[in-house]
Amino acid sequence: MGKKNPTLRDVAKLAGVAVGTISNYLNNPDGVKEKNRERIENAIKVLHFTPNTMAQRLASGRTNTILLYILSEQEIGDSTWLHQLPLIQAINDRLHKTRYNLQIKIGQIGEEEYSLGYMEDCIQGRIIDGAAILSAWEVPKEMLKLFLREDFPYVLLENKSDFTNHACIQFDNEQMTVSMVDHLAELGHEKIAFVDVKSDQQHIRLRYRGYIKAITKYEFKLNKEYVRDGDFTIESGRRCAKELLALPKPPTAVICGNDNMAVGMIEEIQGSGYRVPEDISVMGVDNSIVSKAVVPNLTTMEMPLKKMGEVAIEELLAKISDPEHQIESTMFQCRRIDRKSTGKVCDSVFRR
């Protein structure tokens, strides 16, 4: 038979301390007196003790695991991954500085029963200590009720819920497009189009609402033909450009719901013999890698994804540490990245 692995009791006996002190040391070394810490560390070395992870969990009531639950469409698009990756990286990097591990699970929109069951198993099985829910769609109310009923630490990322006023960390998508129209209006544009996406995603609905709000504010003519439907892809941006150029009076500026569609818009406008930005200015959203690859480089809106991820995890860890901590909702503003795809309206062939 092989040699028996040393236990917490063995370490405690050699170190001359209580088993509870060993458990405290494994979960928070700095919380143990220095002389006891030295004894424990020496005993661990002598016995070649390796902590039993499950035993630690049972002893502390903590799993040292944070769940990032991503709610998305069945087939996640390239633009979605490009957008979410910096946020996921920021969460991972922040947790890397702690004792917590990151567990990632992807759930599908429309499978609320499965998502709820999975979350119940995680909470009741004490598999995780807290959950960050990343979703462009509304988070199911039953899941939020579960968190509240279990008094379980959670935070919503890039999401707003009408069910709760707390723990929503998001970007101001509505104000984003208001500021985009403001920028184009300052350049003299009045005929401003918007490439929308017919979707239940909160982001795009709020961006469209901001566009309508700003057009109304400036008392520009609200031309329904200036609102085209894309699907977040470069190809749909090309298609929408063809539709706009075919109008009796094409716009002099176009706001696209993301960078991919804006790149397709630029390529089709130029491929049709017109100039960007001299004839038509184009703006996108995301400040993704494609915005710097297209010619001219794309004027776009940048979201502070890294900051958002860091704040969300800081708040979640604070809630885990102190159940009385209240995670307040936070709204981040986006900033415009000026490049070469926007300009004054004066030279446009579509000005009149």
Side-chain angles (χ1 to χ4, degrees):
M1 291 180 63
K3 189 176 180 180
K4 183 180 176 183
N5 292 327
T7 65
L8 288 178
R9 191 175 300 279
D10 294 328
V11 177
K13 184 178 179 180
L14 182 59
V17 298
V19 172
T21 304
I22 303 296
S23 180
N24 291 337
Y25 169 83
L26 294 174
N27 288 288
N28 182 21
D30 294 336
V32 177
K33 292 180 180 179
E34 185 176 357
K35 66 175 182 178
N36 288 338
R37 190 164 65 241
E38 291 175 354
R39 290 176 182 174
I40 293 169
E41 289 171 353
N42 182 63
I44 287 174
K45 290 178 182 178
V46 170
L47 295 172
H48 300 289
F49 172 74
T50 301
N52 183 299
T53 304
M54 185 57 70
Q56 280 184 260
R57 290 180 177 181
L58 293 174
S60 68
R62 295 274 177 86
T63 69
N64 288 344
T65 299
I66 299 295
L67 172 66
L68 174 60
Y69 195 75
I70 304 173
L71 278 170
S72 195
E73 64 268 33
Q74 187 171 1
E75 295 185 10
I76 304 178
D78 293 341
S79 62
T80 299
W81 279 124
L82 283 172
H83 171 75
Q84 292 181 343
L85 187 57
L87 179 57
I88 296 171
Q89 184 70 54
I91 292 172
N92 179 76
D93 291 349
R94 178 62 189 88
L95 288 178
H96 188 65
K97 300 175 182 178
T98 72
R99 290 179 172 271
Y100 285 88
N101 300 306
L102 178 63
Q103 176 178 319
I104 299 177
K105 174 72 174 179
I106 299 176
Q108 294 181 8
I109 297 302
E111 294 187 353
E112 285 80 6
E113 188 173 333
Y114 171 84
S115 293
L116 181 61
Y118 177 81
M119 201 62 65
E120 285 178 334
D121 290 344
C122 286
I123 295 173
Q124 294 170 6
R126 296 167 66 187
I127 297 172
I128 58 174
D129 292 331
I133 313 299
L134 172 59
S135 178
W137 289 264
E138 186 173 355
V139 175
K141 288 183 175 60
E142 292 304 316
M143 185 180 291
L144 298 177
K145 289 179 181 178
L146 171 67
F147 292 147
L148 296 174
R149 184 171 66 248
E150 299 287 340
D151 194 24
F152 187 76
Y154 78 95
V155 65
L156 304 184
L157 289 164
E158 292 202 82
N159 195 276
K160 182 181 185 303
S161 174
D162 294 331
F163 184 75
T164 177
N165 294 322
H166 301 290
C168 300
I169 314 294
Q170 59 184 316
F171 302 117
D172 196 340
N173 283 281
E174 181 175 336
Q175 181 56 39
M176 178 200 297
T177 41
V178 168
S179 68
M180 294 169 83
V181 173
D182 288 343
H183 174 61
L184 293 170
E186 289 174 2
L187 295 173
H189 296 276
E190 296 183 12
K191 297 159 61 179
I192 303 171
F194 182 75
V195 179
D196 194 14
V197 175
K198 291 300 180 186
S199 170
D200 289 331
Q201 286 192 24
Q202 293 182 351
H203 302 170
I204 197 69
R205 293 207 315 264
L206 289 169
R207 290 169 195 174
Y208 175 71
R209 191 161 77 184
Y211 164 75
I212 296 297
K213 181 179 179 180
I215 292 295
T216 303
K217 177 180 72 172
Y218 285 105
E219 298 183 348
F220 295 157
K221 182 181 178 181
L222 186 58
N223 188 339
K224 292 183 179 180
E225 291 187 319
Y226 282 177
V227 179
R228 316 309 297 186
D229 293 329
D231 61 10
F232 293 121
T233 65
I234 291 175
E235 291 73 18
S236 70
R238 294 192 186 105
R239 173 176 51 76
C240 290
K242 289 179 182 178
E243 295 170 0
L244 290 171
L245 290 172
L247 295 175
K249 292 185 177 181
T252 61
V254 184
I255 293 172
C256 297
N258 78 340
D259 285 349
N260 277 2
M261 295 191 293
V263 167
M265 178 70 58
I266 289 174
E267 290 179 346
E268 186 60 36
I269 290 171
Q270 294 181 144
S272 299
Y274 297 102
R275 302 165 299 167
V276 176
E278 292 83 358
D279 294 320
I280 302 180
S281 288
V282 180
M283 295 187 73
V285 174
D286 278 336
N287 192 28
S288 65
I289 190 170
V290 298
S291 67
K292 290 169 273 191
V294 69
V295 179
N297 290 172
L298 180 65
T299 296
T300 184
M301 300 298 292
E302 180 182 71
M303 290 159 277
L305 292 159
K306 184 175 184 293
K307 182 66 175 176
M308 180 182 186
E310 291 172 346
V311 168
I313 292 303
E314 289 288 354
E315 287 293 300
L316 188 57
L317 293 177
K319 179 68 173 178
I320 293 170
S321 176
D322 177 12
E324 298 301 317
H325 178 72
Q326 181 70 60
I327 301 179
E328 300 298 336
S329 290
T330 302
M331 183 79 79
F332 286 96
Q333 298 301 317
C334 306
R335 72 184 183 108
R336 189 177 76 246
I337 306 296
D338 289 321
R339 296 198 179 101
K340 300 295 186 179
S341 69
T342 52
K344 293 183 178 181
V345 74
C346 54
D347 294 330
S348 174
V349 296
F350 303 124
R351 186 167 53 129
R352 297 185 182 280

